[in-house]
Amino acid sequence: MKRGTTVYLYELAWILPSIAIPVGMLAALVVTAFGAGIHLPGVEGRVVPTKVAETPPFDRPGVVEIAPGRYEARLVAQIWSFTPSEIRVPAGSTVTFVVTSRDVVHGLLIHGKANVMLLPGQVARVTTRFDRPGEYPMLCHEYCGLAHHTMWGKVIVEPRS
Ligand code: CUA
């Protein structure tokens, strides 16, 4: 192989990835935005943090049955608790958590079920299904101050009678 050709291939080995990587990143953006529907919330996904207590649905936190077997759990996070700190649903329920924070950044982690950041001013929604009866801890998994480690609650999934 001629020396000049070797240099050309060496350059090509850098040029091609430098084109492929941004193209790959752009493709990942398009797929997640339009395919997986990952995007910033619109106006309906915002709330004024200082007025959470007066803003529906957070003026009445708790669980409501929105259809047979489908529930909406409206939670408010604040230092250092969730309101309500305990929710109950029957086994086999599909639950949509609608959650926001009234002060600082918190998180909601229900192992294997939900994992969202709770940003003041933003409403997080996550839907999951509870088939097995039992207790599922709801943990704050974003450091939110001195008593962060005490910020937790639980989902109690009751057996169907
Ligand atoms: Cu709330 Cu950590």
Side-chain angles (χ1 to χ4, degrees):
M1 202 180 276
K2 281 190 285 181
R3 189 182 167 82
T5 314
T6 310
V7 171
Y8 175 69
L9 285 176
Y10 179 69
E11 284 177 332
L12 201 63
W14 285 100
I15 292 166
L16 288 182
S18 72
I19 294 167
I21 290 169
V23 167
M25 287 174 166
L26 189 66
L29 270 179
V30 170
V31 168
T32 52
F34 298 100
I38 294 173
H39 52 79
L40 286 172
V43 179
E44 77 286 352
R46 298 200 194 117
V47 63
V48 180
T50 51
K51 296 201 170 120
V52 167
E54 300 105 79
T55 310
F58 303 108
D59 53 343
R60 301 172 81 181
V63 183
V64 289
E65 189 169 13
I66 50 173
R70 300 186 68 91
Y71 295 83
E72 198 170 87
R74 294 139 181 194
L75 303 180
V76 177
Q78 62 266 301
I79 47 172
W80 287 284
S81 64
F82 293 104
T83 305
S85 62
E86 191 180 292
I87 65 166
R88 286 172 185 271
V89 290
S93 301
T94 300
V95 183
T96 298
F97 290 85
V98 182
V99 200
T100 193
S101 163
R102 15 183 329 176
D103 40 41
V104 298
V105 175
H106 297 282
L108 175 66
L109 175 71
I110 304 171
H111 196 73
K113 302 286 181 189
N115 181 348
V116 284
M117 264 178 108
L118 307 175
L119 305 170
Q122 303 281 358
V123 180
R125 283 179 171 268
V126 57
T127 300
T128 187
R129 201 180 147 85
F130 293 92
D131 284 318
R132 284 201 188 161
E135 288 191 7
Y136 297 79
M138 305 190 288
L139 307 172
C140 174
H141 65 329
E142 292 286 340
Y143 182 72
C144 55
L146 278 182
H148 156 73
H149 60 287
T150 67
M151 184 170 170
W152 66 285
K154 60 188 171 186
V155 180
I156 298 172
V157 179
E158 297 172 323
R160 275 192 184 275
S161 47

